Amino acid sequence: MTALKEKLFSEFPPVSTEEWMAKITADLKGVPFEKKLVWKTGEGFNVNPFYREEDLKDMKITSSLPGEFPFVRGTKKDNQWKVRQNIDVVDFAEANKKALDLLEKGVSALGFHFKGKEVNAENIAVLLNGICPESIELNFKTCNNKADVLIGLLAEYLKGIGADLEKCFGSVAYNPFKKPLIKGHEADNWVEQAAAVLKAGAGLPRYRVLAVDACYLNDAGAYISQELGYALAWGNEIIAKLTEAGFKVDEVAKKIKFNFGISANYFMEIAKFRAARWLWAEIVSAYTPECECSCKMAIHAQTSAWNMTVYDAHVNLLRTQTEAMSAAIAGVDSMTVAPFDDTYQAPDDFSERIARNQQLLLKEECHFDKVTDPSAGSYYIEVLTDSLAEVAWKLFLEVEDKGGFYAVVKTGEVQQAVNASATARKKAIATRREILLGTNQYPNFTETAASKIMDGEACGCGCGCDSEVSIPTLDFSRGASEFEALRLATERSGKTPKVFMLTIGNLAMRLARSQFSSNFFACAGYQVIDNLGFETVEAGVEAAIKAGANIVALCSSDDEYEIYAPAAYKALAGKAEFVVAGAPACMDDLKAQGITEFINVKSNVLETLKAFNTKLGIA
């Protein structure tokens, strides 16, 4: 066998990087390598099209094993993660009934969300009746002002039922920076509140009670490097202030839980979670803890709301599945997959079942839980991990130089930076440089969604967090929100514009451009009338007028537009808006003749469609 291997590999001599580059350069035929093949990410670094072993030679992180400091490959030696489903509690008895049912369906972690005014011993007893707290991870979220009270009630309840507190595990999410980030209020006395929560949390040894909700940044459209860099600064702020208040670093670090979002950037997300564990371990280590285990980052991951859509909502299943895959491969501790209909209604039994099964499939059929850190050793993933860590660490240091996380949150710098990233990403969606399938590309032509849209609701927690804001807040409008508003305007106008494809000339080009134009205008909810082709421009215009077209899109080849476009424009005589599909060389000549509308791959789809809505009288 050894001889066979030697013979096999002797036929494939090593190829140097210089030889690869020479071949690539030759194949590019003069086009710059950096312009054509290098991916310019939004994360603050570029990604090459290929990597080699030599790219890893100076990386120290590649030598550690799962469960070993700095935990880049995981905080444990297996890849078991908890499948979590959250319950918004309105009726505590009904929530308990639902929780017991979920435990029969594969859920291994529960999340309960309820209002602060409902935190009392009776409700806790009803909610947890029949649930084994030593076997199931229990997570709670309520008003920050009631977090320490809730922890005390939980401890009393668990003692009362005879549970071993050393075996009970879960979390209570006290988030000191929720108010400034989301509500626009300063976090008054947050250190004192956090200290009270930490003291109460001592009664629940395996409960994490201090939350770093970086998922808020993800849901608001932050780049991955921002989410990671700010999350590290957030966690460090908690440690720094509470150790100054007299707590040991081990006491604090072991009580922090990081809640990350998972974006659609598949490989970058794998790298993010690996880099997060590594950098957090280095930060905690700098405080010289008594136990190395204090350096382990506890990670809950949840699929992102940013790229969820109302239109063609079943595509959300594809998005959340790839997101869940990246988090599972990266070795998170627990995960929540949002139901596909979460953007426009309270999820029903069907959508919640599908969301649960998305994780169970990864475990039971794909066996993702049987392999720890399978991406390790991949030149690509290792370089992404290192590059992302470098950028996130730079951001972390910048925040520390400015006084720490709360200082930059209080001035609104974090919120403004994340919102600026969201604006840049929305521009990329508007120009189709970032694709949201079913929204800005290949929409469902006949779908309507006006009946789906939910109105926003106030918090209603009784804590005064709905009052007037004093500092900037995160903007949680999704990436698809502007396209959805555009299409909803068409729906609610009571009139559906008709777009007629005047296809003529070169067969391949007219079909390609009619498909492009159909997808383009369908993003605004317009009715598309496609055609196989016309013999003459006059016949096409006559058919368009007969069909009651509001817009006529001429679809042909660049060479033929010089003749067809003026003829069609003249024959149409202003009876409908006239559009040329493409960017022909004769564009300036056509504009001189009064033809002003052109759509092509460089068009800003959103702004172009907004302009057409205005022309067609759609507000």
Side-chain angles (χ1 to χ4, degrees):
M1 181 63 73
T2 303
L4 179 61
K5 287 183 178 179
E6 289 177 355
K7 182 179 179 181
L8 173 65
F9 288 105
S10 67
E11 296 177 10
F12 298 94
V15 180
S16 68
T17 300
E18 290 73 21
E19 289 175 290
W20 274 113
M21 286 300 300
K23 176 60 176 172
I24 293 170
T25 303
D27 288 347
L28 286 174
K29 298 178 181 178
V31 178
F33 173 84
E34 292 77 11
K35 182 177 180 180
K36 189 70 174 179
L37 296 181
V38 174
W39 172 28
K40 296 174 176 59
T41 72
E43 307 298 340
F45 60 90
N46 295 336
V47 176
N48 291 328
F50 72 98
Y51 290 98
R52 295 168 58 80
E53 185 178 7
E54 63 200 56
D55 294 304
L56 308 188
K57 64 181 180 180
D58 296 325
M59 291 187 191
K60 297 179 181 179
I61 58 170
T62 56
S63 60
S64 64
L65 295 173
E68 294 181 357
F69 187 91
F71 309 111
V72 66
R73 299 201 60 198
T75 57
K76 51 191 185 299
K77 295 187 182 297
D78 60 49
N79 194 28
Q80 293 293 333
W81 75 88
K82 301 293 184 185
V83 177
R84 176 167 153 187
Q85 184 167 333
N86 297 326
I87 300 173
D88 290 323
V89 181
V90 178
D91 181 291
F92 282 77
E94 285 300 313
N96 171 259
K97 182 179 178 181
K98 180 174 182 177
L100 292 172
D101 181 56
L102 293 178
L103 295 177
E104 296 290 331
K105 295 177 177 177
V107 165
S108 51
L110 293 165
F112 297 108
H113 302 170
F114 46 87
K115 296 176 181 178
K117 61 186 178 183
E118 294 174 334
V119 174
N120 59 60
E122 181 182 356
N123 283 340
I124 296 301
V126 171
L127 182 64
L128 301 182
N129 183 40
I131 297 174
C132 180
E134 298 166 336
S135 303
I136 303 299
E137 182 184 270
L138 301 176
N139 303 278
F140 302 87
K141 180 178 287 188
T142 190
C143 180
N144 273 339
N145 294 335
K146 291 297 184 77
D148 58 336
V149 177
L150 173 58
I151 294 168
L153 292 174
L154 282 171
E156 289 301 316
Y157 170 79
L158 295 176
K159 289 177 185 175
I161 63 173
D164 184 347
L165 296 185
E166 293 291 340
K167 295 181 179 178
C168 298
F169 58 103
S171 69
V172 175
Y174 170 74
N175 174 357
F177 307 122
K178 178 180 178 180
K179 278 188 176 182
L181 288 171
I182 297 178
K183 303 299 181 181
H185 310 143
E186 292 190 17
D188 297 326
N189 302 316
W190 75 265
V191 178
E192 290 82 353
Q193 289 183 4
V197 168
L198 193 56
K199 287 177 183 177
L204 295 172
R206 294 184 61 197
Y207 268 68
R208 302 234 172 195
V209 296
L210 303 170
V212 175
D213 287 327
C215 52
Y216 291 151
L217 309 177
N218 192 297
D219 287 344
Y223 287 114
I224 292 173
S225 55
Q226 286 179 310
E227 182 189 12
L228 178 53
Y230 286 136
L232 296 171
W234 187 332
N236 185 62
E237 179 86 350
I238 294 173
I239 290 182
K241 292 298 188 291
L242 289 178
T243 52
E244 287 175 9
F247 293 94
K248 294 181 179 180
V249 63
D250 299 82
E251 292 180 277
V252 183
K254 288 182 179 180
K255 289 296 185 180
I256 297 176
K257 187 168 193 173
F258 285 79
N259 300 299
F260 283 104
I262 322 167
S263 75
N265 200 335
Y266 184 76
F267 293 108
M268 200 77 76
E269 283 293 342
I270 296 174
K272 179 186 79 178
F273 290 114
R274 300 176 85 244
R277 288 190 296 263
W278 166 26
L279 297 179
W280 181 244
E282 298 289 359
I283 289 171
V284 178
S285 178
Y287 286 89
T288 59
E290 295 177 1
C291 177
E292 191 178 77
C293 60
S294 298
C295 300
K296 294 181 178 181
M297 174 185 272
I299 299 176
H300 174 70
Q302 60 188 57
T303 54
S304 179
W306 162 263
N307 62 352
M308 297 278 274
T309 61
V310 172
Y311 285 94
D312 214 350
H314 288 95
V315 180
N316 291 331
L317 290 169
L318 304 179
R319 300 184 182 108
T320 55
Q321 190 64 42
T322 56
E323 290 167 8
M325 286 174 64
S326 60
I329 288 173
V332 300
D333 298 300
S334 60
M335 193 190 324
T336 299
V337 173
F340 70 87
D341 55 354
D342 196 39
T343 52
Y344 58 86
Q345 67 177 17
D348 56 24
D349 290 340
F350 173 74
S351 63
E352 287 185 343
R353 173 174 175 261
I354 295 297
R356 285 192 305 273
N357 287 348
Q358 286 179 257
Q359 289 196 65
L360 296 177
L361 282 169
L362 295 179
K363 282 176 173 278
E364 305 299 332
E365 297 193 18
C366 301
H367 306 297
F368 277 25
D369 58 338
K370 300 297 189 291
V371 184
T372 305
D373 194 21
S375 61
S378 161
Y379 305 151
Y380 180 52
I381 297 297
E382 296 290 6
V383 171
L384 283 186
T385 301
D386 189 70
S387 300
L388 194 55
E390 183 179 351
V391 175
W393 188 254
K394 181 180 178 182
L395 178 59
F396 166 76
L397 293 178
E398 289 175 0
V399 172
E400 292 305 301
D401 288 342
K402 294 176 181 178
F405 186 70
Y406 182 51
V408 292
V409 166
K410 191 162 58 172
T411 62
E413 182 177 330
V414 171
Q415 299 90 311
Q416 290 167 344
V418 171
N419 291 343
S421 297
T423 299
R425 293 182 64 189
K426 286 179 181 178
K427 183 178 180 181
I429 291 170
T431 55
R432 286 182 175 170
R433 287 184 289 110
E434 186 172 334
I435 298 298
L436 283 177
L437 195 65
T439 298
N440 70 342
Q441 184 71 290
Y442 304 119
N444 184 337
F445 285 34
T446 59
E447 183 181 10
T448 58
S451 60
K452 294 180 179 180
I453 304 301
M454 297 186 298
D455 293 325
E457 296 180 355
C459 167
C461 67
C463 64
C465 61
D466 292 322
S467 57
E468 187 176 351
V469 302
S470 58
I471 57 178
T473 59
L474 294 172
D475 176 6
F476 289 102
S477 58
R478 292 171 289 106
S481 59
E482 293 177 317
F483 273 93
E484 289 171 354
L486 176 76
R487 193 162 177 178
L488 282 167
T490 302
E491 278 188 46
R492 290 169 172 166
S493 69
K495 52 187 177 183
T496 304
K498 295 180 180 180
V499 185
F500 188 90
M501 300 296 139
L502 201 170
T503 52
I504 190 170
N506 183 285
L507 178 61
M509 291 304 301
R510 78 190 190 203
L511 291 178
R513 281 179 164 158
S514 67
Q515 183 183 47
F516 171 84
S517 302
S518 296
N519 282 317
F520 193 103
F521 285 105
C523 291
Y526 294 177
Q527 179 185 344
V528 174
I529 304 171
D530 204 355
N531 300 281
L532 294 177
F534 295 95
E535 291 295 327
T536 65
V537 165
E538 289 73 20
V541 171
E542 183 180 351
I545 294 172
K546 186 177 181 180
N550 304 98
I551 300 172
V552 174
L554 181 65
C555 303
S556 188
S557 66
D558 286 358
D559 294 339
E560 293 170 302
Y561 279 141
E562 190 173 2
I563 298 172
Y564 290 144
Y569 180 68
K570 183 177 179 180
L572 195 59
K575 296 183 177 67
E577 298 292 332
F578 182 65
V579 180
V580 174
C586 62
M587 186 186 295
D588 289 339
D589 292 336
L590 297 180
K591 287 181 178 180
Q593 299 177 57
I595 300 170
T596 59
E597 298 293 344
F598 298 83
I599 59 171
N600 51 70
V601 292
K602 293 185 178 181
S603 297
N604 185 311
V605 182
L606 180 67
E607 293 304 322
T608 302
L609 293 175
K610 281 182 177 180
F612 275 110
N613 262 12
T614 300
K615 289 181 178 181
L616 298 172
I618 298 173

